[in-house]
Amino acid sequence: AKTRRTDPDEARAPSQPSSEVSALLLTGSLPRERSADPFFNSVFCVSNPPPPPFAKTTMMKVACKASRKACATTTKYGAAARTPVRCQAAASGSSGSDKIQRATRKFAADRLSAVAPSAGGAVTGLNIADNVTELIGKTPLVFLNKVSEGCGGTIAAKLESMNPCNSVKDRIAFNMINEAERQGKISPGKTTLVEPTSGNTGVGLAFIAAALGYKLVLTMPASMSMERRILLKAFGADLVLTDPAKGMKGAVEKAEAIASSTQDAYVLQQFENPSNPKIHYETTGPEIWEDTAGHVDIFVSGVGTGGTITGTGGYLKSKKKDVKVVAVEPTESPILSGGAPGPHKIQGIGAGFVPGILDTDLIDEVVKVSSDDSVAMARRLALEEGLFVGISSGAAVTAALELAKRPENAGKLITCIIPSFGERYAVCPFYPPSLSLSLTHSHSLSVKRKKTRRLSKDATK
């Protein structure tokens, strides 16, 4: 790639790329003949006859070296600069042709960014993720205005619902698979991943397993929403439903039974896996700290696996000792408060037991929120803030509002986690009864019309 060549067109190469150059950047194909476009020849180093085979290998090695160097200096996902976690051009699952095409695209993009001017809307490089896992993280914070009117404290919500599959669990799903793969415990195309999940972790695991080539079996209580089940099936996961009365404990037991009877199975164990809180310590916590410029005073999070509050809270306390960490749990299942487990409607939190990875020493206070209050707040966030969020998000905001109303918290910045997007819960009891009845009535009318048309056609025949 560094070889000096003599090209009479190089000195007079124009600064603007032609449509021919743009097309080749998108397809990633190597040119084999000279072009009439001097810019084309300058960027792609075209010679006549075609360049020797080693030129492709050199380009690939340069791209791999640059990628590895970038990986060593970026965050876990490389989300800020969108750099790969590992050298994608040298990934074991890629064919030689794919490696060359990826390296060539990067080489051409680098050359183009160096040659083309940055002003005037000209192409200066590509900001395209190599795969969907590189889009995880770097979620925004937004102030809550209308729902917090009259509160002395200020509330900022971190929209984890803006991850690729719309939940905070995208982070841990990626890290658990990535860490197990790095340690040689699993490999795509061979290992069957098994996991008990209340839904969002399963969705995160499902889309990442699909992207990386793993078979996935998930166990979950039958009380979880139909939307979640459809999503899991859409990504190709095998879904096993368990007795809802047993909660997540029943799903865990079923997952262990499946793993013991399946060859090359591996249970990721989100409730026990240290990769869960680790990714929040490395990414979620630093993101909140940076986005608030260190002014965060209180951090609020629901407790499901305990990874978010342990990792994020741990990082924030390491940066500022007086940061208060507040856990949120269902009133109907107040395990952290010393109560007994019970059924509730806040999907994703209140597992019915204390998870192994939860560091209870970090928690300064536990706030209990009822299922009805959580649903009501989720509706308010959609109507008053334009934020369509899940039920556990309603629980977190309800707890944050309770804290913001206290006189001792006047003037303080409270951040809370919005774990997931509302579309995943768009059935009763999430919608107001009037809307649910309206939707049901409309659906019934539609079914009747279709039946009438079908009978009419049969009669005509």
Side-chain angles (χ1 to χ4, degrees):
K2 296 181 180 179
T3 304
R4 181 70 178 173
R5 73 192 187 298
T6 302
D7 190 337
D9 293 327
E10 183 176 6
R12 59 178 183 275
S15 59
Q16 297 291 340
S18 67
S19 58
E20 188 176 12
V21 174
S22 301
L24 279 167
L25 277 176
L26 293 174
T27 60
S29 58
L30 286 169
R32 295 190 175 276
E33 298 179 358
R34 289 181 64 85
S35 168
D37 183 358
F39 185 90
F40 177 97
N41 295 328
S42 174
V43 172
F44 288 93
C45 307
V46 178
S47 59
N48 193 12
F54 74 84
K56 297 179 181 179
T57 306
T58 304
M59 293 178 191
M60 183 175 68
K61 289 180 178 179
V62 171
C64 291
K65 184 176 179 181
S67 179
R68 291 192 193 98
K69 184 176 180 182
C71 294
T73 58
T74 54
T75 58
K76 189 71 177 179
Y77 305 120
R82 299 295 180 224
T83 54
V85 173
R86 58 184 177 180
C87 180
Q88 296 292 343
S92 59
S94 301
S95 66
S97 176
D98 290 338
K99 295 175 184 177
I100 292 172
Q101 286 199 358
R102 288 181 180 179
T104 305
R105 285 199 298 269
K106 184 180 187 305
F107 177 80
D110 290 344
R111 287 296 307 276
L112 185 60
S113 63
V115 175
S118 58
V123 177
T124 58
L126 304 178
N127 181 25
I128 303 175
D130 189 69
N131 65 60
V132 70
T133 65
E134 293 175 18
L135 304 177
I136 302 171
K138 283 291 179 183
T139 54
L141 276 166
V142 61
F143 285 120
L144 299 183
N145 302 303
K146 293 181 180 178
V147 297
S148 63
E149 286 180 355
C151 296
T154 302
I155 302 174
K158 186 163 177 63
L159 303 183
E160 289 297 292
S161 54
M162 295 186 71
N163 274 307
C165 261
N166 307 123
S167 90
V168 66
K169 299 298 186 179
D170 290 4
R171 295 181 187 259
I172 71 166
F174 170 79
N175 203 47
M176 289 192 298
I177 291 177
N178 187 59
E179 287 292 306
E181 198 175 80
R182 186 181 62 82
Q183 295 167 15
K185 297 178 180 179
I186 61 174
S187 59
K190 178 182 178 183
T191 307
T192 297
L193 302 177
V194 183
E195 184 65 14
T197 172
S198 63
N200 282 326
T201 300
V203 175
L205 288 171
F207 91 85
I208 292 171
L212 300 182
Y214 286 94
K215 181 180 179 180
L216 178 67
V217 179
L218 299 170
T219 62
M220 65 188 295
S223 58
M224 296 301 108
S225 69
M226 184 59 68
E227 284 82 1
R228 291 193 186 187
R229 300 185 206 177
I230 293 171
L231 275 172
L232 296 171
K233 288 288 187 181
F235 287 118
D238 292 334
L239 185 59
V240 179
L241 301 179
T242 60
D243 185 356
K246 295 182 179 179
M248 280 307 301
K249 190 174 182 179
V252 171
E253 292 172 354
K254 186 63 176 178
E256 292 172 350
I258 292 173
S260 63
S261 61
T262 304
Q263 186 177 4
D264 293 322
Y266 182 81
V267 182
L268 293 163
Q269 297 178 326
Q270 61 171 324
F271 290 96
E272 307 290 336
N273 197 323
S275 300
N276 181 342
K278 180 183 177 184
I279 196 63
H280 290 294
Y281 190 93
E282 293 176 348
T283 62
T284 316
E287 288 171 20
I288 291 176
W289 182 258
E290 291 168 9
D291 289 347
T292 62
H295 293 298
V296 55
D297 297 300
I298 302 173
F299 172 67
V300 181
S301 174
V303 177
T305 64
T308 304
I309 196 167
T310 298
T312 308
Y315 179 85
L316 294 176
K317 279 186 175 288
S318 73
K319 301 294 288 185
K320 188 177 178 180
K321 291 183 179 180
D322 59 348
V323 168
K324 188 176 181 180
V325 175
V326 179
V328 182
E329 68 175 353
T331 302
E332 300 89 342
S333 186
I335 294 294
L336 300 178
S337 303
H344 61 88
K345 300 174 184 176
I346 312 176
Q347 299 181 28
I349 69 172
F353 59 91
V354 179
I357 59 173
L358 175 62
D359 186 353
T360 55
D361 293 336
L362 286 171
I363 300 174
D364 297 298
E365 182 181 351
V366 178
V367 175
K368 292 178 286 186
V369 180
S370 70
S371 297
D372 290 341
D373 288 344
S374 300
V375 171
M377 180 53 67
R379 293 175 186 164
R380 283 191 63 192
L381 289 169
L383 294 171
E384 299 177 35
E385 302 287 349
L387 296 174
F388 194 25
V389 301
I391 301 172
S392 62
S393 303
V397 173
T398 299
L401 283 173
E402 181 180 324
L403 296 168
K405 291 175 182 177
R406 296 177 185 175
E408 65 269 24
N409 293 331
K412 292 185 177 180
L413 177 58
I414 303 168
T415 61
C416 64
I417 295 291
I418 300 294
S420 56
F421 192 60
E423 194 171 10
R424 206 158 288 175
Y425 312 85
V427 292
C428 292
F430 189 88
Y431 280 133
S434 58
L435 180 55
S436 298
L437 289 171
S438 175
L439 291 171
T440 304
H441 180 63
S442 298
H443 176 69
S444 299
L445 289 176
S446 177
V447 171
K448 288 179 180 178
R449 290 192 189 102
K450 288 180 180 179
K451 187 176 180 180
T452 302
R453 284 197 297 267
R454 188 173 66 252
L455 291 173
S456 177
K457 287 181 181 179
D458 292 343
T460 303
K461 289 180 181 179

